[in-house]
Amino acid sequence: MTTLEFSYSLNKLSSTLKPFALKLTRDMDDANDLLQDTMVKAFTNRDKFTEGTNLKAWLYTIMKNTFITNYQRMVRRGTFVDTTDNLHYINSSDSQIENGAYGNFAMDDITLAIENLDDVYKTPFMMHFRGFKYHEIADKLQIPIGTVKNRIHIARKLLKDELVVYRHKN
């Protein structure tokens, strides 16, 4: 296959590769970049393509491998990409310093909200929080399992509502 024929075949197949790139990346710009990287790699390695085999499958394999390699590289670097309009690159490191004050205030609010729950909701909720299974809580409290699930659900809802109030006060 001549370079011109190979180039024509690549161009023709690029439209079928785009949905696959979008499925892998879940972002249109990243999908376009992946498609471009795939086409460049395919063209530069055209001598490795065996004529008579499935070019489309070969391109899919190149795309998948390129995506995996890029993903592994990003994970190794520990770089997270902010997808907001600013497109900042945030390097994570082990030397981060966190302000624990906000977490302490939040934990105090959560503890207070749990303490304010009626015992009928607090007891099954705390048992579930500590790792007890629904049937274990039902056996221990001698109530039906449906009641246990309902009380835990109500406790979560009450806590959520209470914490929303705390957040708006502060």
Side-chain angles (χ1 to χ4, degrees):
M1 180 180 302
T2 67
T3 303
L4 187 60
E5 291 171 334
F6 189 80
S7 181
Y8 175 76
S9 297
L10 283 182
N11 192 31
K12 197 167 69 172
L13 289 171
S14 68
S15 62
T16 62
L17 289 170
K18 189 151 189 173
F20 184 58
L22 191 57
K23 183 180 175 186
L24 290 172
T25 61
R26 297 185 181 130
D27 180 73
M28 187 58 76
D29 292 332
D30 290 341
N32 288 333
D33 291 343
L34 181 59
L35 180 62
Q36 184 177 7
D37 288 346
T38 301
M39 291 300 156
V40 167
K41 284 182 180 181
F43 191 77
T44 56
N45 293 299
R46 66 184 175 273
D47 56 316
K48 295 177 183 167
F49 175 71
T50 307
E51 195 169 349
T53 59
N54 190 344
L55 178 61
K56 187 175 179 180
W58 189 66
L59 292 171
Y60 272 90
T61 302
I62 292 171
M63 181 174 281
K64 179 187 67 150
N65 290 340
T66 301
F67 174 76
I68 291 170
T69 302
N70 290 343
Y71 179 79
Q72 289 171 339
R73 187 177 300 134
M74 185 180 71
V75 169
R76 273 195 309 272
R77 276 195 320 230
T79 300
F80 300 96
V81 179
D82 179 10
T83 58
T84 61
D85 292 336
N86 297 331
L87 294 176
H88 293 286
Y89 291 92
I90 305 166
N91 289 320
S92 64
S93 67
D94 294 333
S95 62
Q96 291 180 348
I97 299 172
E98 293 187 22
N99 184 349
Y102 180 75
N104 291 340
F105 288 132
M107 198 61 211
D108 291 345
D109 291 344
I110 292 168
T111 303
L112 182 62
I114 291 172
E115 288 173 5
N116 288 337
L117 283 175
D118 289 334
D119 284 339
V120 74
Y121 302 119
K122 180 173 35 174
T123 303
F125 175 79
M126 290 306 296
M127 289 177 75
H128 183 66
F129 177 75
R130 290 186 181 116
F132 286 90
K133 305 289 183 214
Y134 291 126
H135 67 87
E136 295 171 329
I137 298 168
D139 291 343
K140 179 91 168 149
L141 298 178
Q142 297 179 345
I143 55 177
I145 195 165
T147 304
V148 169
K149 291 178 180 182
N150 188 37
R151 289 181 182 173
I152 291 171
H153 172 75
I154 291 171
R156 287 178 176 155
K157 186 178 180 327
L158 291 171
L159 288 171
K160 180 182 171 192
D161 293 344
E162 187 76 16
L163 292 172
V164 167
V165 170
Y166 284 133
R167 191 174 352 164
H168 291 298
K169 280 183 184 178
N170 298 326

